[in-house]
Amino acid sequence: MEIMWAPWRGEYIDGTTGYPQPEGCVFCEALTAENDRDRYIIHRGRNAFVIMNLYPYNNGHLLVIPNEHMSRASQMDAETRHEVMDLLMKAEAVLFQVYHPQGVNIGANIGAAAGAGIAQHVHFHVLPRWNADSNFMTTVANTRVIPEALEVTWKKIRDAWDGSKP
Ligand SMILES: [Zn+2]
């Protein structure tokens, strides 16, 4: 048994996936992009935004990220902390609404040693869980089969996000 609570070890970007990693920060880069659909952005707030994890552990794996580039959660000012917490709670509610999971993980890996894939820009995971989701592929190959296309997931969550009360 490895670290118990590390479903996102190979999280946002993995050199083996072939996803093009920009020169700078992928989160800052996504935030400055015009098209939300292309970047799988769910919500843009005053101090923080919500984006889908491109290499999700499960369908609906979301990230809540401060707009400002910072590596530690403790660097967020009070306004940003409040907004991030609000967005985490809303993400939890939306995931329960859309996917009816049996549980949700909310958490952050601060620093590469803690398991952060993008250690330079702090981000919080909101991850729907099911009792049976630690499957064979995860155990053996550290890989997951995600049956739903990212675009479909984006549309579902985005619609629910915009339609739901905060
Ligand atoms: Zn950044």
Side-chain angles (χ1 to χ4, degrees), residues 25 27-28 69 121:
C25 169
F27 297 145
C28 288
H69 184 91
H121 195 148

Side-chain angles (χ1 to χ4, degrees), residues 25 27-29 31 43 45-51 63-77 79-85 87-88 108 110 120-125:
C25 169
F27 297 145
C28 288
E29 201 268 338
L31 193 57
H43 168 81
R46 178 193 287 265
N47 301 292
F49 67 106
V50 182
I51 191 171
L63 303 174
V64 176
I65 310 176
N67 292 344
E68 193 179 331
H69 184 91
M70 60 182 74
S71 60
R72 294 186 185 169
S74 56
Q75 291 171 311
M76 295 188 294
D77 61 24
E79 199 178 308
T80 305
R81 293 177 190 190
H82 292 162
E83 187 170 336
V84 163
M85 184 57 79
L87 293 176
L88 289 170
I110 311 296
Q120 57 178 321
H121 195 148
V122 67
H123 49 283
F124 299 81
H125 297 262

Side-chain angles (χ1 to χ4, degrees), residues 5 8 50-53 56-64 84-85 87-96 103-108 123-129 157 161:
W5 191 57
W8 40 72
V50 182
I51 191 171
M52 286 169 51
N53 190 323
Y57 179 78
N58 274 333
N59 291 329
H61 186 167
L62 300 178
L63 303 174
V64 176
V84 163
M85 184 57 79
L87 293 176
L88 289 170
M89 300 302 99
K90 178 154 181 175
E92 178 213 278
V94 166
L95 289 179
F96 273 115
V104 168
N105 285 127
I106 296 178
H123 49 283
F124 299 81
H125 297 262
V126 186
L127 175 63
R129 300 301 302 269
I157 295 177
W161 192 282

